[in-house]
PDB file of all heavy atoms in Angstrom:
ATOM      1  N   GLY A  12      79.554  47.598  99.481  1.00 43.00           N
ATOM      2  CA  GLY A  12      79.804  48.885 100.062  1.00 43.00           C
ATOM      3  C   GLY A  12      78.982  49.954  99.401  1.00 43.00           C
ATOM      4  O   GLY A  12      78.488  49.783  98.298  1.00 43.00           O
ATOM      5  N   ASN A  13      78.852  51.067 100.060  1.00 45.00           N
ATOM      6  CA  ASN A  13      78.069  52.162  99.523  1.00 45.00           C
ATOM      7  C   ASN A  13      78.936  53.202  98.827  1.00 45.00           C
ATOM      8  O   ASN A  13      78.456  54.245  98.428  1.00 45.00           O
ATOM      9  CB  ASN A  13      77.225  52.822 100.627  1.00 45.00           C
ATOM     10  CG  ASN A  13      78.065  53.323 101.772  1.00 45.00           C
ATOM     11  OD1 ASN A  13      79.284  53.385 101.660  1.00 45.00           O
ATOM     12  ND2 ASN A  13      77.432  53.677 102.870  1.00 45.00           N
ATOM     13  N   GLY A  14      80.226  52.923  98.716  1.00 45.00           N
ATOM     14  CA  GLY A  14      81.130  53.820  98.024  1.00 45.00           C
ATOM     15  C   GLY A  14      81.552  55.019  98.853  1.00 45.00           C
ATOM     16  O   GLY A  14      82.340  55.823  98.412  1.00 45.00           O
ATOM     17  N   GLN A  15      81.002  55.154 100.056  1.00 48.00           N
ATOM     18  CA  GLN A  15      81.340  56.303 100.887  1.00 48.00           C
ATOM     19  C   GLN A  15      82.595  56.081 101.716  1.00 48.00           C
ATOM     20  O   GLN A  15      83.149  57.009 102.242  1.00 48.00           O
ATOM     21  CB  GLN A  15      80.180  56.631 101.816  1.00 48.00           C
ATOM     22  CG  GLN A  15      78.950  57.104 101.089  1.00 48.00           C
ATOM     23  CD  GLN A  15      77.801  57.368 102.033  1.00 48.00           C
ATOM     24  OE1 GLN A  15      77.951  57.261 103.239  1.00 48.00           O
ATOM     25  NE2 GLN A  15      76.649  57.677 101.490  1.00 48.00           N
ATOM     26  N   GLY A  16      83.046  54.851 101.826  1.00 51.00           N
ATOM     27  CA  GLY A  16      84.213  54.573 102.643  1.00 51.00           C
ATOM     28  C   GLY A  16      83.863  54.587 104.115  1.00 51.00           C
ATOM     29  O   GLY A  16      82.711  54.811 104.495  1.00 51.00           O
ATOM     30  N   PHE A  17      84.854  54.351 104.952  1.00 52.00           N
ATOM     31  CA  PHE A  17      84.634  54.317 106.395  1.00 52.00           C
ATOM     32  C   PHE A  17      85.592  55.296 107.038  1.00 52.00           C
ATOM     33  O   PHE A  17      86.767  55.330 106.716  1.00 52.00           O
ATOM     34  CB  PHE A  17      84.879  52.909 106.944  1.00 52.00           C
ATOM     35  CG  PHE A  17      84.750  52.831 108.431  1.00 52.00           C
ATOM     36  CD1 PHE A  17      83.505  52.807 109.017  1.00 52.00           C
ATOM     37  CD2 PHE A  17      85.869  52.814 109.233  1.00 52.00           C
ATOM     38  CE1 PHE A  17      83.379  52.765 110.396  1.00 52.00           C
ATOM     39  CE2 PHE A  17      85.758  52.769 110.607  1.00 52.00           C
ATOM     40  CZ  PHE A  17      84.496  52.733 111.178  1.00 52.00           C
ATOM     41  N   HIS A  18      85.084  56.123 107.923  1.00 52.00           N
ATOM     42  CA  HIS A  18      85.956  57.034 108.659  1.00 52.00           C
ATOM     43  C   HIS A  18      85.412  57.218 110.069  1.00 52.00           C
ATOM     44  O   HIS A  18      84.223  57.057 110.304  1.00 52.00           O
ATOM     45  CB  HIS A  18      86.069  58.387 107.961  1.00 52.00           C
ATOM     46  CG  HIS A  18      84.803  59.190 108.008  1.00 52.00           C
ATOM     47  ND1 HIS A  18      83.722  58.914 107.196  1.00 52.00           N
ATOM     48  CD2 HIS A  18      84.435  60.235 108.782  1.00 52.00           C
ATOM     49  CE1 HIS A  18      82.752  59.765 107.474  1.00 52.00           C
ATOM     50  NE2 HIS A  18      83.146  60.578 108.435  1.00 52.00           N
ATOM     51  N   LEU A  19      86.297  57.528 110.963  1.00 49.00           N
ATOM     52  CA  LEU A  19      85.906  57.837 112.334  1.00 49.00           C
ATOM     53  C   LEU A  19      86.010  59.340 112.536  1.00 49.00           C
ATOM     54  O   LEU A  19      86.959  59.961 112.073  1.00 49.00           O
ATOM     55  CB  LEU A  19      86.857  57.160 113.333  1.00 49.00           C
ATOM     56  CG  LEU A  19      86.736  55.664 113.509  1.00 49.00           C
ATOM     57  CD1 LEU A  19      87.847  55.171 114.430  1.00 49.00           C
ATOM     58  CD2 LEU A  19      85.391  55.291 114.080  1.00 49.00           C
ATOM     59  N   PRO A  20      85.036  59.927 113.217  1.00 51.00           N
ATOM     60  CA  PRO A  20      85.171  61.349 113.550  1.00 51.00           C
ATOM     61  C   PRO A  20      86.447  61.576 114.367  1.00 51.00           C
ATOM     62  O   PRO A  20      86.908  60.682 115.070  1.00 51.00           O
ATOM     63  CB  PRO A  20      83.925  61.624 114.398  1.00 51.00           C
ATOM     64  CG  PRO A  20      82.955  60.559 114.009  1.00 51.00           C
ATOM     65  CD  PRO A  20      83.791  59.351 113.681  1.00 51.00           C
ATOM     66  N   LEU A  21      87.000  62.766 114.265  1.00 49.00           N
ATOM     67  CA  LEU A  21      88.289  63.058 114.895  1.00 49.00           C
ATOM     68  C   LEU A  21      88.337  62.751 116.379  1.00 49.00           C
ATOM     69  O   LEU A  21      89.371  62.329 116.876  1.00 49.00           O
ATOM     70  CB  LEU A  21      88.659  64.529 114.680  1.00 49.00           C
ATOM     71  CG  LEU A  21      89.126  64.894 113.281  1.00 49.00           C
ATOM     72  CD1 LEU A  21      89.394  66.388 113.189  1.00 49.00           C
ATOM     73  CD2 LEU A  21      90.363  64.116 112.898  1.00 49.00           C
ATOM     74  N   GLN A  22      87.227  62.940 117.089  1.00 51.00           N
ATOM     75  CA  GLN A  22      87.275  62.715 118.536  1.00 51.00           C
ATOM     76  C   GLN A  22      87.571  61.260 118.877  1.00 51.00           C
ATOM     77  O   GLN A  22      87.936  60.942 119.990  1.00 51.00           O
ATOM     78  CB  GLN A  22      85.995  63.178 119.238  1.00 51.00           C
ATOM     79  CG  GLN A  22      84.767  62.349 118.932  1.00 51.00           C
ATOM     80  CD  GLN A  22      83.931  62.933 117.806  1.00 51.00           C
ATOM     81  OE1 GLN A  22      84.452  63.619 116.926  1.00 51.00           O
ATOM     82  NE2 GLN A  22      82.640  62.668 117.822  1.00 51.00           N
ATOM     83  N   HIS A  23      87.436  60.349 117.920  1.00 52.00           N
ATOM     84  CA  HIS A  23      87.699  58.940 118.187  1.00 52.00           C
ATOM     85  C   HIS A  23      89.166  58.566 118.002  1.00 52.00           C
ATOM     86  O   HIS A  23      89.577  57.491 118.376  1.00 52.00           O
ATOM     87  CB  HIS A  23      86.808  58.058 117.319  1.00 52.00           C
ATOM     88  CG  HIS A  23      85.369  58.218 117.656  1.00 52.00           C
ATOM     89  ND1 HIS A  23      84.815  57.716 118.817  1.00 52.00           N
ATOM     90  CD2 HIS A  23      84.375  58.868 117.025  1.00 52.00           C
ATOM     91  CE1 HIS A  23      83.537  58.043 118.861  1.00 52.00           C
ATOM     92  NE2 HIS A  23      83.246  58.743 117.789  1.00 52.00           N
ATOM     93  N   TYR A  24      89.959  59.436 117.410  1.00 52.00           N
ATOM     94  CA  TYR A  24      91.363  59.122 117.197  1.00 52.00           C
ATOM     95  C   TYR A  24      92.161  59.102 118.491  1.00 52.00           C
ATOM     96  O   TYR A  24      93.243  58.544 118.539  1.00 52.00           O
ATOM     97  CB  TYR A  24      92.008  60.094 116.211  1.00 52.00           C
ATOM     98  CG  TYR A  24      91.509  59.934 114.802  1.00 52.00           C
ATOM     99  CD1 TYR A  24      91.376  61.015 113.964  1.00 52.00           C
ATOM    100  CD2 TYR A  24      91.157  58.684 114.294  1.00 52.00           C
ATOM    101  CE1 TYR A  24      90.912  60.875 112.665  1.00 52.00           C
ATOM    102  CE2 TYR A  24      90.689  58.533 113.009  1.00 52.00           C
ATOM    103  CZ  TYR A  24      90.573  59.634 112.198  1.00 52.00           C
ATOM    104  OH  TYR A  24      90.123  59.479 110.920  1.00 52.00           O
ATOM    105  N   ASP A  25      91.629  59.705 119.564  1.00 54.00           N
ATOM    106  CA  ASP A  25      92.366  59.696 120.820  1.00 54.00           C
ATOM    107  C   ASP A  25      92.549  58.271 121.351  1.00 54.00           C
ATOM    108  O   ASP A  25      93.423  58.020 122.153  1.00 54.00           O
ATOM    109  CB  ASP A  25      91.714  60.590 121.878  1.00 54.00           C
ATOM    110  CG  ASP A  25      90.317  60.137 122.265  1.00 54.00           C
ATOM    111  OD1 ASP A  25      89.747  59.269 121.578  1.00 54.00           O
ATOM    112  OD2 ASP A  25      89.793  60.661 123.255  1.00 54.00           O
ATOM    113  N   HIS A  26      91.751  57.318 120.877  1.00 53.00           N
ATOM    114  CA  HIS A  26      91.920  55.924 121.276  1.00 53.00           C
ATOM    115  C   HIS A  26      93.256  55.362 120.791  1.00 53.00           C
ATOM    116  O   HIS A  26      93.731  54.353 121.284  1.00 53.00           O
ATOM    117  CB  HIS A  26      90.807  55.039 120.701  1.00 53.00           C
ATOM    118  CG  HIS A  26      89.469  55.352 121.259  1.00 53.00           C
ATOM    119  ND1 HIS A  26      89.145  55.167 122.585  1.00 53.00           N
ATOM    120  CD2 HIS A  26      88.359  55.856 120.680  1.00 53.00           C
ATOM    121  CE1 HIS A  26      87.897  55.523 122.781  1.00 53.00           C
ATOM    122  NE2 HIS A  26      87.402  55.951 121.650  1.00 53.00           N
ATOM    123  N   LEU A  27      93.847  56.009 119.787  1.00 55.00           N
ATOM    124  CA  LEU A  27      95.074  55.482 119.195  1.00 55.00           C
ATOM    125  C   LEU A  27      96.326  56.011 119.875  1.00 55.00           C
ATOM    126  O   LEU A  27      97.411  55.536 119.612  1.00 55.00           O
ATOM    127  CB  LEU A  27      95.117  55.830 117.705  1.00 55.00           C
ATOM    128  CG  LEU A  27      93.966  55.257 116.884  1.00 55.00           C
ATOM    129  CD1 LEU A  27      94.069  55.727 115.437  1.00 55.00           C
ATOM    130  CD2 LEU A  27      93.942  53.739 116.944  1.00 55.00           C
ATOM    131  N   SER A  28      96.189  57.011 120.752  1.00 54.00           N
ATOM    132  CA  SER A  28      97.378  57.540 121.406  1.00 54.00           C
ATOM    133  C   SER A  28      97.828  56.564 122.495  1.00 54.00           C
ATOM    134  O   SER A  28      97.017  55.992 123.211  1.00 54.00           O
ATOM    135  CB  SER A  28      97.117  58.922 121.997  1.00 54.00           C
ATOM    136  OG  SER A  28      96.291  58.824 123.126  1.00 54.00           O
ATOM    137  N   ILE A  29      99.133  56.372 122.576  1.00 54.00           N
ATOM    138  CA  ILE A  29      99.682  55.392 123.514  1.00 54.00           C
ATOM    139  C   ILE A  29     100.575  56.120 124.511  1.00 54.00           C
ATOM    140  O   ILE A  29     101.608  56.656 124.153  1.00 54.00           O
ATOM    141  CB  ILE A  29     100.488  54.310 122.762  1.00 54.00           C
ATOM    142  CG1 ILE A  29      99.568  53.550 121.814  1.00 54.00           C
ATOM    143  CG2 ILE A  29     101.157  53.362 123.750  1.00 54.00           C
ATOM    144  CD1 ILE A  29     100.291  52.595 120.897  1.00 54.00           C
ATOM    145  N   LYS A  30     100.131  56.149 125.758  1.00 59.00           N
ATOM    146  CA  LYS A  30     100.922  56.799 126.800  1.00 59.00           C
ATOM    147  C   LYS A  30     101.745  55.760 127.559  1.00 59.00           C
ATOM    148  O   LYS A  30     102.837  56.031 128.001  1.00 59.00           O
ATOM    149  CB  LYS A  30     100.002  57.554 127.758  1.00 59.00           C
ATOM    150  CG  LYS A  30      99.262  58.688 127.097  1.00 59.00           C
ATOM    151  CD  LYS A  30      98.237  59.283 128.054  1.00 59.00           C
ATOM    152  CE  LYS A  30      97.300  60.219 127.337  1.00 59.00           C
ATOM    153  NZ  LYS A  30      96.330  59.536 126.479  1.00 59.00           N
ATOM    154  N   ASN A  31     101.186  54.576 127.720  1.00 64.00           N
ATOM    155  CA  ASN A  31     101.916  53.478 128.342  1.00 64.00           C
ATOM    156  C   ASN A  31     101.292  52.167 127.868  1.00 64.00           C
ATOM    157  O   ASN A  31     100.322  52.175 127.113  1.00 64.00           O
ATOM    158  CB  ASN A  31     101.901  53.591 129.871  1.00 64.00           C
ATOM    159  CG  ASN A  31     100.487  53.604 130.439  1.00 64.00           C
ATOM    160  OD1 ASN A  31      99.687  52.720 130.146  1.00 64.00           O
ATOM    161  ND2 ASN A  31     100.186  54.591 131.262  1.00 64.00           N
ATOM    162  N   GLU A  32     101.821  51.061 128.300  1.00 63.00           N
ATOM    163  CA  GLU A  32     101.379  49.744 127.824  1.00 63.00           C
ATOM    164  C   GLU A  32      99.878  49.522 128.024  1.00 63.00           C
ATOM    165  O   GLU A  32      99.233  48.910 127.200  1.00 63.00           O
ATOM    166  CB  GLU A  32     102.178  48.651 128.548  1.00 63.00           C
ATOM    167  CG  GLU A  32     102.109  47.286 127.908  1.00 63.00           C
ATOM    168  CD  GLU A  32     102.788  47.196 126.556  1.00 63.00           C
ATOM    169  OE1 GLU A  32     103.685  48.012 126.276  1.00 63.00           O
ATOM    170  OE2 GLU A  32     102.404  46.315 125.769  1.00 63.00           O
ATOM    171  N   GLN A  33      99.322  50.063 129.106  1.00 63.00           N
ATOM    172  CA  GLN A  33      97.899  49.884 129.379  1.00 63.00           C
ATOM    173  C   GLN A  33      97.021  50.649 128.395  1.00 63.00           C
ATOM    174  O   GLN A  33      95.848  50.338 128.242  1.00 63.00           O
ATOM    175  CB  GLN A  33      97.571  50.339 130.797  1.00 63.00           C
ATOM    176  CG  GLN A  33      98.162  49.432 131.852  1.00 63.00           C
ATOM    177  CD  GLN A  33      97.870  49.969 133.249  1.00 63.00           C
ATOM    178  OE1 GLN A  33      97.870  51.175 133.472  1.00 63.00           O
ATOM    179  NE2 GLN A  33      97.631  49.063 134.169  1.00 63.00           N
ATOM    180  N   ASP A  34      97.584  51.668 127.746  1.00 68.00           N
ATOM    181  CA  ASP A  34      96.800  52.492 126.827  1.00 68.00           C
ATOM    182  C   ASP A  34      96.727  51.927 125.415  1.00 68.00           C
ATOM    183  O   ASP A  34      96.058  52.499 124.566  1.00 68.00           O
ATOM    184  CB  ASP A  34      97.391  53.909 126.751  1.00 68.00           C
ATOM    185  CG  ASP A  34      97.144  54.689 128.027  1.00 68.00           C
ATOM    186  OD1 ASP A  34      96.190  54.356 128.746  1.00 68.00           O
ATOM    187  OD2 ASP A  34      97.916  55.615 128.292  1.00 68.00           O
ATOM    188  N   ILE A  35      97.425  50.829 125.157  1.00 80.00           N
ATOM    189  CA  ILE A  35      97.399  50.248 123.817  1.00 80.00           C
ATOM    190  C   ILE A  35      96.003  49.710 123.532  1.00 80.00           C
ATOM    191  O   ILE A  35      95.436  48.968 124.322  1.00 80.00           O
ATOM    192  CB  ILE A  35      98.466  49.139 123.661  1.00 80.00           C
ATOM    193  CG1 ILE A  35      99.859  49.760 123.753  1.00 80.00           C
ATOM    194  CG2 ILE A  35      98.288  48.394 122.353  1.00 80.00           C
ATOM    195  CD1 ILE A  35     100.985  48.767 123.718  1.00 80.00           C
ATOM    196  N   LEU A  36      95.458  50.122 122.397  1.00 88.00           N
ATOM    197  CA  LEU A  36      94.126  49.697 121.998  1.00 88.00           C
ATOM    198  C   LEU A  36      94.139  48.208 121.668  1.00 88.00           C
ATOM    199  O   LEU A  36      94.877  47.762 120.806  1.00 88.00           O
ATOM    200  CB  LEU A  36      93.672  50.508 120.780  1.00 88.00           C
ATOM    201  CG  LEU A  36      92.296  50.224 120.231  1.00 88.00           C
ATOM    202  CD1 LEU A  36      91.226  50.481 121.294  1.00 88.00           C
ATOM    203  CD2 LEU A  36      92.039  51.097 119.019  1.00 88.00           C
ATOM    204  N   LYS A  37      93.332  47.462 122.387  1.00 94.00           N
ATOM    205  CA  LYS A  37      93.243  46.013 122.198  1.00 94.00           C
ATOM    206  C   LYS A  37      92.210  45.705 121.114  1.00 94.00           C
ATOM    207  O   LYS A  37      91.253  46.456 120.933  1.00 94.00           O
ATOM    208  CB  LYS A  37      92.812  45.337 123.504  1.00 94.00           C
ATOM    209  CG  LYS A  37      93.731  45.608 124.681  1.00 94.00           C
ATOM    210  CD  LYS A  37      94.990  44.787 124.594  1.00 94.00           C
ATOM    211  CE  LYS A  37      95.798  44.809 125.861  1.00 94.00           C
ATOM    212  NZ  LYS A  37      96.703  45.917 125.990  1.00 94.00           N
ATOM    213  N   PRO A  38      92.390  44.584 120.396  1.00 95.00           N
ATOM    214  CA  PRO A  38      91.433  44.216 119.345  1.00 95.00           C
ATOM    215  C   PRO A  38      89.993  44.155 119.843  1.00 95.00           C
ATOM    216  O   PRO A  38      89.075  44.591 119.143  1.00 95.00           O
ATOM    217  CB  PRO A  38      91.922  42.839 118.886  1.00 95.00           C
ATOM    218  CG  PRO A  38      93.389  42.854 119.162  1.00 95.00           C
ATOM    219  CD  PRO A  38      93.536  43.663 120.424  1.00 95.00           C
TER     220      PRO A  38
END
Side-chain angles (χ1 to χ4, degrees):
N13 57 12
Q15 294 178 4
F17 176 77
H18 69 283
L19 287 174
L21 286 177
Q22 69 265 28
H23 295 288
Y24 291 146
D25 63 348
H26 294 295
L27 300 177
S28 72
I29 298 172
K30 296 173 192 73
N31 58 53
E32 196 67 24
Q33 291 177 323
D34 289 336
I35 294 176
L36 181 60
K37 302 283 192 275

